[in-house]
Amino acid sequence: MFVTDIELKQFRNYEYLKLDSFGPVNLIIGQNAQGKTNLVEAIYALALTKSHRTSKDKELIRFESGSANIRAHVDKKYGKIQLELALSQQGKKAKINGLEQRKLSDFVGSLNVVMFAPEDLEIVKGTPGVRRRFLDMEIGQVAPGYIYHLQQYQKILVQRNNLLKQLYGAGESQQVMLAVWNDQLAEHGVKIVKKRKQFIKKLQKWAETIHEGITGGKEKLELAYVPSFADPMEEDEAVLLDRFMIKLSQTKDQEIRRGMSLTGPHRDDLSFFINGREVQTYGSQGQQRTTALSLKLAEIELIREEIGEYPVLLLDDVLSELDPYRQTQLIETFQSKVQTFITATGIETLNTSKLKDAYIYQVDAGHVER
């Protein structure tokens, strides 16, 4: 998979930008706040229809402009396609080869990317919400149906939480609607949980091998899904549905008292273990960084396994965060097989001896020169 060009209109600090040719490795160099991250963010947004930095689409639209547009051509194994994402105050529209897609979930997966940024270290040491977002974004790329169930689940969750707040102090007769929301929440929730379990199992296979290689066989990395209502290994939907409904029944009084849903995939987590010890709590900073790196490299291989070609790799100010050894491990992984975009404040922060034939772009106040 190869992004051949890109055109931006009113996106972030770019009034207009058109870059006609990218190479296998692209270095985007510039001081902070000049627009280098905005460029890789545009590629990411074109892949997933949302930013990796903000949940507010309006922040992607240039100041005092009403809309923004991203357009690019992507070479895939079955031919070249044109992708376009338009953002406005009214929402967003996505097109493939000029044809507007009825649902954004039909568009996601047309371009596959793996993003690695300094904040991705939070996947290991951050909050459960960060890890859930990691799972949701990555699964959504290879399983579009997952996005639909996630969106439905989130809508139902809001309605159910509103109802729970109203039920505090109310009688049993007013709880009839709660059973309706329970059925719908569980219907979509079990599909999310099942897909997460399947994804983590595949990610474990690749991450374990990659981590072992990085550490010279000294460390074994294990991933563990931590669901809020079921056995971590259970994948049968009927069993999951039954367990979910039982848990909802058990926590009903507590949920009404607190006015929020306490069970479901929105409360799940992902744990990491090195040689049997939990990395979040007991791992050194080096082990946490290596775990995050192993996860990202595993993502690349997992996506290739799922769709039959490598994704595009986006490295946003992350190489300078890694020591020379981990830099080399990362570069040797993508060299010659994965198209890569690397942002940095200067060439001197990169192991350029390992970056062959890289295209270099200089970014200054929203202007880009090769």
Side-chain angles (χ1 to χ4, degrees), residues 7-264:
E7 183 179 12
L8 306 179
K9 294 178 181 178
Q10 306 296 338
F11 182 84
R12 289 286 194 180
N13 69 327
Y14 291 103
E15 182 178 3
Y16 179 77
L17 174 69
K18 187 172 184 180
L19 297 175
D20 288 323
S21 61
F22 289 126
V25 178
N26 305 275
L27 303 183
I28 303 163
I29 308 299
Q31 293 303 307
N32 293 330
Q34 300 305 301
K36 62 184 188 299
T37 292
N38 296 346
L39 185 51
V40 293
E41 180 184 32
I43 298 172
Y44 185 94
L46 193 61
L48 287 117
T49 73
K50 60 179 69 177
S51 167
H52 67 293
R53 300 156 74 193
T54 178
S55 59
K56 299 175 182 177
D57 290 337
K58 65 181 181 182
E59 292 181 12
L60 305 181
I61 301 172
R62 192 166 181 263
F63 184 63
E64 293 186 342
S65 179
S67 63
N69 190 277
I70 310 166
R71 183 186 293 122
H73 289 92
V74 182
D75 273 341
K76 305 183 71 170
K77 63 180 180 179
Y78 54 76
K80 179 178 279 193
I81 59 171
Q82 184 191 73
L83 300 178
E84 184 176 349
L85 180 66
L87 305 163
S88 70
Q89 306 296 342
Q90 289 72 46
K92 45 196 168 189
K93 295 180 180 179
K95 295 180 182 179
I96 301 175
N97 293 331
L99 298 175
E100 187 174 331
Q101 303 301 293
R102 191 169 60 86
K103 296 185 294 184
L104 291 176
S105 57
D106 294 334
F107 179 84
V108 175
S110 302
L111 168 62
N112 297 96
V113 298
V114 169
M115 166 71 82
F116 193 16
E119 58 263 29
D120 285 318
L121 294 171
E122 292 297 307
I123 293 171
V124 178
K125 61 183 182 180
T127 63
V130 174
R131 289 182 284 279
R132 288 192 294 269
R133 177 178 165 83
F134 160 72
L135 289 174
D136 293 340
M137 299 299 272
E138 304 316 324
I139 298 171
Q141 288 198 72
V142 295
Y146 178 86
I147 297 173
Y148 167 76
H149 290 295
L150 187 65
Q151 289 172 337
Q152 294 303 308
Y153 181 88
Q154 290 168 340
K155 289 177 184 176
I156 294 161
L157 186 64
V158 170
Q159 298 288 343
R160 188 175 187 271
N161 284 342
N162 288 337
L163 178 63
L164 287 169
K165 291 181 178 72
Q166 296 169 21
L167 290 178
Y168 186 71
E172 287 285 333
S173 61
Q174 293 176 269
Q175 297 182 13
V176 177
M177 193 60 200
L178 186 61
V180 176
W181 288 128
N182 285 356
D183 288 342
Q184 294 184 30
L185 194 76
E187 176 192 347
H188 295 285
V190 296
K191 293 189 181 297
I192 293 169
V193 170
K194 180 179 178 179
K195 209 66 185 176
R196 283 180 180 175
K197 290 181 178 184
Q198 292 171 341
F199 178 82
I200 291 168
K201 187 186 294 184
K202 292 175 181 176
L203 193 65
Q204 161 76 45
K205 180 187 73 173
W206 286 108
E208 182 179 341
T209 302
I210 290 167
H211 192 91
E212 200 170 278
I214 293 175
T215 61
K218 295 177 183 177
E219 295 181 355
K220 181 179 181 180
L221 175 64
E222 294 177 272
L223 280 55
Y225 186 42
V226 188
S228 63
F229 67 84
D231 183 279
M233 304 306 292
E234 183 60 63
E235 290 185 16
D236 184 276
E237 281 193 34
V239 175
L240 288 172
L241 188 66
D242 188 49
R243 297 274 172 84
F244 199 169
M245 295 303 290
I246 290 172
K247 189 72 173 179
L248 288 172
S249 175
Q250 292 172 340
T251 58
K252 183 181 75 170
D253 292 342
Q254 188 181 0
E255 288 184 326
I256 291 173
R257 281 198 307 273
R258 296 183 60 181
M260 66 173 68
S261 301
L262 302 175
T263 298

Side-chain angles (χ1 to χ4, degrees), residues 292-310:
L293 178 58
S294 297
L295 285 174
K296 288 296 173 177
L297 297 180
E299 270 186 76
I300 294 171
E301 296 297 342
L302 190 154
I303 290 175
R304 180 195 58 79
E305 184 178 56
E306 291 290 307
I307 69 172
E309 59 184 323
Y310 281 108

